Amino acid sequence: MKLIFEKSVPGRHCDLLPRCDVETVELPESLRRDAAPALPELSEVDLSRHYTELNRQVHGVNCGFYPLGSCTMKYNPRIDEDMAALPGFTGVHPLAPARTTVGCRRVLDTARSYLCEITGMDDMTFQPAAGAHGEFTGVLLIKQYHDARGDRARTKIIVPDSAHGTNPATAAMCGYQVVNIPSAPDGCVDLAALQAALGPDTAGLMLTNPNTVGIFDENILEITRLVHEAGGLCYYDGANLNAVMGVVRPGDMGFDCIHLNLHKTFATPHGGGGPGAGAVGCKDFLRDFLPRSALMDGPGRLQVRSFAGNFLVVVKALAYLMTLGRQGVPEAAQNAVLNANYLMRAIQGTFEPAFDRTCMHEFVLDLSAYKKDTGVSALDVAKSLIDHGMHPPTMYFPLIVHEALMLEPTETESKETLDWAAEVFRQLYALGYQDPAYMQAAPHNTPIGRPDEVQAARHPVVRWQKS
Ligand SMILES: *Cc1c(COP(=O)(O)O)cnc(C)c1O
């Protein structure tokens, strides 16, 4: 399709600006442009069609199944958007006098208390804007803790080889040396490898549980005990909380600080770069190191973002928690786990799970044998799913499984959708033996099929240039 700039016709427009109700001010000459900006000019109907067409070319949770592992692409109830759109929330200014923002503070305090209860933490900040930003903040808590004790010999953070790429990146960004430990054959932490890596130079461990292959590490209490015994702290990557919220708490597993992806677990739509929130919670002894807004809480604190963070994302999380209630939160987690197990077993016998055991909220398929037999790769299967109206699962992650496809159906999918998805996987499995070339050329009915991902990453063209 054409870009909006290419559809532009000079002089055509559809703007109906409200009457100006403030005093007009002339900008000083030095601040003015030399020429008018090259904005696209379209009639209202053409503008509407442009965005409708764009909308038709993307796949969202509103279009169909979206089992993108590790990302928790669940349906986010509209009521949460309605709450975040209330004028009292959207119109508030962060510098408004405290007596006029009592309601907003109550939202933050209530959301904090609910999320602390769910995670077993004692305090929480909403400043970080995403999960990775939350990790960065959390590892800075660990660093400040050791520094405050004068313990500067702790230079290493331990990260299992199944970790999300942001974990080692975070540790490195915070100035730590990353110690990668291999997983045991069951996908969990190898206790012997952990013990060998621990020492007086250990600052901490970063872990998610359930882990990235969808398995709950049964040794979790032993793992956190060993790290503490060595003088390190335990960081919980909360991106997988959807599997356990309301059922088991990271605080009780022995973790000292955590981040939550409010945009994964707690009702903010994501995928495409909208605002998120990587809330960071901690135990009481780390509370003093939490970031605060210099303007709102007084100076001298770590600050990782302006004011209280992406406030409206917190409004959505609170609305979500209040609609689910004390029974609904664990029920959502249990249904997420049930759906994942149902889908895994329905596909099994064709594509095989990498770990043949009960999974948590997601599971990983290992397509290496299938690729050897047919020449059809995990990428080819993912591309073929697009032709069936399904968003591909996460591919080639975690790195410990070759030809990996990682599926997370979430709790918001019906049995009918899961049955349909399993049938699509079974059909594609058979098709790989009959007509591998067809799958290797998929997708067949999208405007763009196989973009050059290396070029796109190395030389991104993200801006239209007027020729
Ligand atoms: C998504 C995810 C992150 C990073 O969160 P962002 O909000 O995308 O920065 C970290 N760890 C795991 C396991 C994740 O799935």
Side-chain angles (χ1 to χ4, degrees), residues 11 78 147 219 289 318 344 409 464:
R78 284 296 170 268
D147 284 354
N219 296 319
F289 304 119
L318 179 59
M344 178 176 79
W464 175 73

mmCIF file of all heavy atoms in Angstrom, residues 11 78 147 219 289 318 344 409 464:
data_model
loop_
_atom_site.group_PDB
_atom_site.id
_atom_site.type_symbol
_atom_site.label_atom_id
_atom_site.label_comp_id
_atom_site.label_asym_id
_atom_site.label_seq_id
_atom_site.Cartn_x
_atom_site.Cartn_y
_atom_site.Cartn_z
ATOM 1 N N GLY A 11 -3.398 21.007 -0.680
ATOM 2 C CA GLY A 11 -4.626 21.784 -0.542
ATOM 3 C C GLY A 11 -5.806 20.992 -0.019
ATOM 4 O O GLY A 11 -6.832 21.535 0.355
ATOM 5 N N ARG A 78 -11.937 -4.297 27.780
ATOM 6 C CA ARG A 78 -12.140 -2.894 27.406
ATOM 7 C C ARG A 78 -12.398 -1.998 28.611
ATOM 8 O O ARG A 78 -12.116 -0.811 28.586
ATOM 9 C CB ARG A 78 -13.304 -2.773 26.414
ATOM 10 C CG ARG A 78 -12.937 -3.207 25.015
ATOM 11 C CD ARG A 78 -11.863 -2.284 24.420
ATOM 12 N NE ARG A 78 -11.357 -2.848 23.178
ATOM 13 C CZ ARG A 78 -10.302 -3.639 23.097
ATOM 14 N NH1 ARG A 78 -9.613 -3.950 24.167
ATOM 15 N NH2 ARG A 78 -9.907 -4.110 21.931
ATOM 16 N N ASP A 147 26.975 -1.838 47.672
ATOM 17 C CA ASP A 147 27.804 -0.635 47.831
ATOM 18 C C ASP A 147 27.613 -0.023 49.214
ATOM 19 O O ASP A 147 28.578 0.392 49.868
ATOM 20 C CB ASP A 147 27.459 0.413 46.755
ATOM 21 C CG ASP A 147 28.057 0.040 45.396
ATOM 22 O OD1 ASP A 147 28.816 -0.948 45.349
ATOM 23 O OD2 ASP A 147 27.749 0.722 44.402
ATOM 24 N N ASN A 219 13.414 -26.761 42.476
ATOM 25 C CA ASN A 219 14.492 -26.515 43.442
ATOM 26 C C ASN A 219 14.597 -25.059 43.835
ATOM 27 O O ASN A 219 15.627 -24.638 44.370
ATOM 28 C CB ASN A 219 15.837 -26.950 42.838
ATOM 29 C CG ASN A 219 15.870 -28.444 42.570
ATOM 30 O OD1 ASN A 219 15.387 -29.230 43.374
ATOM 31 N ND2 ASN A 219 16.436 -28.819 41.433
ATOM 32 N N PHE A 289 16.449 1.959 48.718
ATOM 33 C CA PHE A 289 17.165 2.145 47.448
ATOM 34 C C PHE A 289 16.213 2.315 46.268
ATOM 35 O O PHE A 289 16.656 2.569 45.146
ATOM 36 C CB PHE A 289 18.093 0.951 47.183
ATOM 37 C CG PHE A 289 19.060 0.695 48.301
ATOM 38 C CD1 PHE A 289 19.054 -0.509 48.988
ATOM 39 C CD2 PHE A 289 19.983 1.669 48.671
ATOM 40 C CE1 PHE A 289 19.952 -0.743 50.026
ATOM 41 C CE2 PHE A 289 20.884 1.437 49.703
ATOM 42 C CZ PHE A 289 20.867 0.227 50.386
ATOM 43 N N LEU A 318 -4.779 -1.699 37.951
ATOM 44 C CA LEU A 318 -5.655 -1.691 39.131
ATOM 45 C C LEU A 318 -7.082 -2.071 38.741
ATOM 46 O O LEU A 318 -7.729 -2.876 39.431
ATOM 47 C CB LEU A 318 -5.627 -0.313 39.810
ATOM 48 C CG LEU A 318 -6.526 -0.197 41.044
ATOM 49 C CD1 LEU A 318 -6.132 -1.213 42.119
ATOM 50 C CD2 LEU A 318 -6.483 1.224 41.618
ATOM 51 N N MET A 344 -0.544 -28.174 24.219
ATOM 52 C CA MET A 344 0.676 -28.970 24.052
ATOM 53 C C MET A 344 0.324 -30.431 23.781
ATOM 54 O O MET A 344 0.869 -31.055 22.865
ATOM 55 C CB MET A 344 1.545 -28.858 25.309
ATOM 56 C CG MET A 344 2.817 -29.684 25.249
ATOM 57 S SD MET A 344 3.867 -29.453 26.696
ATOM 58 C CE MET A 344 3.040 -30.507 27.880
ATOM 59 N N PRO A 409 -0.610 -19.815 24.940
ATOM 60 C CA PRO A 409 -1.968 -19.501 24.455
ATOM 61 C C PRO A 409 -2.702 -18.474 25.317
ATOM 62 O O PRO A 409 -3.590 -17.797 24.813
ATOM 63 C CB PRO A 409 -2.677 -20.854 24.485
ATOM 64 C CG PRO A 409 -1.894 -21.715 25.396
ATOM 65 C CD PRO A 409 -0.485 -21.202 25.420
ATOM 66 N N TRP A 464 10.338 8.518 6.815
ATOM 67 C CA TRP A 464 10.126 8.866 5.426
ATOM 68 C C TRP A 464 10.972 10.083 5.071
ATOM 69 O O TRP A 464 11.029 11.054 5.822
ATOM 70 C CB TRP A 464 8.651 9.200 5.185
ATOM 71 C CG TRP A 464 8.350 9.683 3.821
ATOM 72 C CD1 TRP A 464 8.314 8.956 2.682
ATOM 73 C CD2 TRP A 464 8.037 11.023 3.439
ATOM 74 N NE1 TRP A 464 7.995 9.736 1.618
ATOM 75 C CE2 TRP A 464 7.823 11.015 2.054
ATOM 76 C CE3 TRP A 464 7.925 12.227 4.157
ATOM 77 C CZ2 TRP A 464 7.500 12.175 1.333
ATOM 78 C CZ3 TRP A 464 7.599 13.382 3.460
ATOM 79 C CH2 TRP A 464 7.387 13.349 2.060
#
